[in-house]
Amino acid sequence: MKRALKIIVLLSITSLIGYWGYIWYCNTASLLGVIHKDADSVLKIGIQDIKETLVLDAIASPSYYYNNASFKQKKKEKDTVDTKGVNFTPYNLVLFTVPKVQNTFFSILTIDDNHAFKNQIKKYSKGLRQEIDKEHNIHWLEHKKQHWVCAWNAKKLVISFGVDNSYLNSKSVFLEVLKEGKVITSKDNKWITALSKSKSHVTYITQKGETKLQFKDGEAILEGSLETKEEDAYPKKVSYDRFSNAAVEFYWDGNFNRNKNREQFIASWKKNVFLKKVNINVPEITELTNGFFYAGVTGTTMQTDTIVTYGYDDNFNKIEQKTLQEKEVPSIILNLGREKQPLKNYLKEQELLTEDDVFKSIPLYQFHVEEEATATIFKTQKLKESTEQITSSNFMNLSIDFNRAKETIQIPQANRYFNILNSLQISAQQSSSNKVVLKGSIEGKLDKINILSQLFFGLKSE
């Protein structure tokens, strides 16, 4: 009996060692050949880890999954390489950025079966035209509305995502991966070492720091840190006027007293389509603010809209008819910290204000513009809101109370999130001279069900 017990224990230990060895191998192997050698940031999504977490969650809460899962029969494709040339949910899904292509993420996937992939890509190319770069023998596909481009050869598929994305913008990376094989294949590389050690469901690493996201029962936890080149890039204490009982609240102190912060903001926003469209010059406007921005949604208010229709007079001449209509809108307050010169004067010079000092460039709501000694205020209601002064160690903070927001923000598409979530909190703090710490959490309605499952079933039912 003792001998049999020893054998069972030995086999159990051997199985565990084998299992963890297999996990270690898959975790590391899935990171090789999918990151560009010049990458300056990498995002790893642990697909397998997430699957295992949800399986354990289903075992712990079977009734929740039974009540929410659909058992309707669906047409099934054979899950073989004959029908799936590329696995879009690998052990780890990896995305990366490179300095030469700004604001664009890339992902590399292995083509297991080229013939099967040709059939598979047809599903994603409906309504789109497949192109061939004959000079380099690369096939590519571009979806301008969804801002993605993919290019492939017989062995690899490369996908890029970005707001201003196009094949021409991403071409240099496509060629380096598909033609030159410019990818990381060494297990000792710094990106591979850091990502393989991470136990989080989502890991984002840059040359300056690391941010992790973990999905747990009832909540998602965000933690991260960032090393800054400049000392004290952001203030360690921020004092501001907070609006009471805000459903949504956000503030950011960009600290434009530091010229480098101002220059970085200009570089990031100078190509913004909306600002160009409304005739706002980013370098000019940054000279009129100290970089502090606050936004709050505190309740609802009434606004009067002018509805324009057309009719005909007795002589059948077309005439314009105006009627006034009241509507309920969120009570929104936007504060922009000001410098010596008032921003309001600049908006008037650019003809962006009406005679009643209403900002004309946001058609959805009427924002009344007021100038105070320390801030320019944009708000949807004329009455003055009560405030309280707060001093915080965070230079950035976002908080949403979804229960209050549901009563305040009348956007049907947002109700699906209001019904699933309780709160969201994200903050950034200058913890030391050269270090910024990020913290955050998303809390769901059910504290014993994994937050991913709550989001999946909640959004699916809407």
Side-chain angles (χ1 to χ4, degrees):
M1 190 71 180
K2 288 182 180 180
R3 185 180 178 186
L5 187 60
K6 287 180 180 180
I7 293 173
I8 292 171
V9 171
L10 183 61
L11 288 173
S12 299
I13 293 172
T14 304
S15 299
L16 283 173
I17 292 173
Y19 173 75
W20 289 116
Y22 172 75
I23 293 295
W24 176 86
Y25 169 78
C26 291
N27 185 42
T28 304
S30 65
L31 302 172
L32 300 177
V34 295
I35 303 173
H36 195 285
K37 286 184 177 180
D38 296 335
D40 59 354
S41 72
V42 184
L43 174 70
K44 184 191 84 169
I45 303 173
I47 302 292
Q48 183 63 28
D49 286 344
I50 291 173
K51 288 179 180 178
E52 291 176 2
T53 298
L54 295 182
V55 168
L56 292 174
D57 192 50
I59 293 172
S61 307
S63 60
Y64 173 82
Y65 284 82
Y66 180 83
N67 292 331
N68 287 279
S70 174
F71 295 98
K72 293 180 180 179
Q73 289 187 347
K74 296 180 180 179
K75 293 181 180 179
K76 294 182 179 179
E77 283 187 82
K78 292 182 180 179
D79 190 14
T80 67
V81 293
D82 292 331
T83 57
K84 290 187 177 182
V86 169
N87 180 11
F88 287 100
T89 57
Y91 195 95
N92 287 309
L93 179 62
V94 179
L95 296 91
F96 61 86
T97 62
V98 291
K100 67 175 70 176
V101 186
Q102 295 292 317
N103 304 316
T104 303
F105 274 92
F106 294 86
S107 185
I108 302 172
L109 297 169
T110 301
I111 297 177
D112 297 314
D113 186 294
N114 192 36
H115 176 74
F117 174 71
K118 288 178 181 179
N119 295 325
Q120 189 179 11
I121 197 67
K122 290 180 182 179
K123 176 182 176 182
Y124 298 94
S125 61
K126 289 181 180 178
L128 302 174
R129 181 181 172 184
Q130 288 191 35
E131 305 282 354
I132 301 177
D133 188 333
K134 294 182 179 179
E135 181 183 355
H136 302 99
N137 193 27
I138 291 175
H139 296 256
W140 60 277
L141 191 66
E142 180 175 315
H143 199 305
K144 292 183 179 179
K145 289 185 178 180
Q146 296 180 4
H147 307 292
W148 59 260
V149 183
C150 62
W152 64 93
N153 57 19
K155 296 181 179 180
K156 288 186 181 294
L157 167 70
V158 186
I159 309 172
S160 63
F161 314 84
V163 176
D164 299 320
N165 196 19
S166 68
Y167 177 73
L168 289 178
N169 288 346
S170 301
K171 183 177 178 178
S172 60
V173 177
F174 291 153
L175 292 178
E176 288 172 347
V177 172
L178 299 174
K179 301 298 292 184
E180 301 173 26
K182 197 174 180 179
V183 293
I184 298 170
T185 56
S186 171
K187 292 183 289 186
D188 298 325
N189 180 272
K190 63 176 183 178
W191 297 114
I192 306 301
T193 301
L195 291 171
S196 61
K197 286 181 179 179
S198 175
K199 304 301 180 184
S200 298
H201 290 128
V202 179
T203 305
Y204 178 63
I205 301 179
T206 69
Q207 294 174 342
K208 298 178 181 179
E210 182 176 0
T211 302
K212 298 178 180 180
L213 180 64
Q214 193 76 11
F215 302 110
K216 298 184 176 183
D217 287 354
E219 63 180 348
I221 302 296
L222 175 73
E223 294 179 337
S225 63
L226 175 69
E227 296 294 330
T228 59
K229 291 182 179 179
E230 302 293 326
E231 290 189 357
D232 298 321
Y234 299 100
K236 292 183 179 179
K237 284 189 178 181
V238 175
S239 294
Y240 66 99
D241 290 330
R242 178 185 180 186
F243 292 89
S244 303
N245 300 318
V248 180
E249 190 174 59
F250 171 78
Y251 73 81
W252 168 281
D253 193 330
N255 193 20
F256 282 1
N257 293 325
R258 298 179 62 90
N259 287 329
K260 287 194 175 181
N261 289 18
R262 192 187 300 267
E263 291 167 2
Q264 288 175 0
F265 180 87
I266 292 172
S268 300
W269 288 86
K270 65 182 178 181
K271 294 183 180 180
N272 184 271
V273 176
F274 171 76
L275 296 177
K276 283 186 176 180
K277 188 176 180 181
V278 300
N279 198 29
I280 289 180
N281 183 287
V282 175
E284 290 178 356
I285 205 169
T286 53
E287 295 298 327
L288 305 175
T289 174
N290 58 18
F292 181 82
F293 174 77
Y294 175 92
V297 182
T298 62
T300 59
T301 187
M302 300 301 295
Q303 287 189 348
T304 303
D305 262 357
T306 301
I307 309 299
V308 179
T309 57
Y310 294 91
Y312 296 89
D313 60 16
D314 295 337
N315 296 318
F316 295 100
N317 295 316
K318 192 175 182 180
I319 57 173
E320 186 181 87
Q321 299 171 335
K322 295 182 178 180
T323 56
L324 299 179
Q325 185 180 54
E326 275 200 329
K327 65 175 183 178
E328 187 178 45
V329 301
S331 179
I332 304 172
I333 298 98
L334 309 175
N335 282 4
L336 195 62
R338 59 167 283 184
E339 289 285 22
K340 295 178 181 179
Q341 298 299 320
L343 174 62
K344 189 175 178 181
N345 290 350
Y346 175 82
L347 297 177
K348 284 184 176 180
E349 290 172 4
Q350 300 299 105
E351 299 182 350
L352 296 174
L353 297 183
T354 67
E355 294 181 357
D356 299 327
D357 291 335
V358 173
F359 190 59
K360 296 192 294 185
S361 298
I362 303 179
L364 192 59
Y365 305 125
Q366 299 172 19
F367 280 90
H368 304 275
V369 182
E370 297 178 359
E371 200 74 53
E372 292 188 353
T374 59
T376 304
I377 303 173
F378 299 74
K379 57 183 185 178
T380 55
Q381 69 167 329
K382 292 183 178 180
L383 295 177
K384 190 173 180 64
E385 290 277 354
S386 61
T387 62
E388 56 179 336
Q389 192 172 66
I390 298 292
T391 299
S392 172
S393 58
N394 301 323
F395 67 84
M396 185 279 287
N397 192 78
L398 169 65
S399 59
I400 302 176
D401 183 324
F402 288 98
N403 297 313
R404 289 180 183 172
K406 184 177 181 179
E407 301 171 359
T408 302
I409 302 174
Q410 306 299 322
I411 302 177
Q413 294 87 342
N415 285 337
R416 56 196 336 195
Y417 298 100
F418 299 154
N419 294 332
I420 301 169
L421 303 173
N422 278 334
S423 64
L424 179 146
Q425 183 78 35
I426 300 175
S427 65
Q429 181 184 120
Q430 184 83 53
S431 63
S432 62
S433 295
N434 292 95
K435 187 177 181 180
V436 169
V437 172
L438 300 173
K439 291 183 179 180
S441 65
I442 303 175
E443 183 183 302
K445 298 284 187 186
L446 306 173
D447 59 0
K448 294 184 179 180
I449 304 298
N450 190 278
I451 187 68
L452 266 184
S453 296
Q454 294 187 53
L455 288 168
F456 175 77
F457 289 119
L459 296 177
K460 188 178 179 181
S461 64
E462 289 290 333

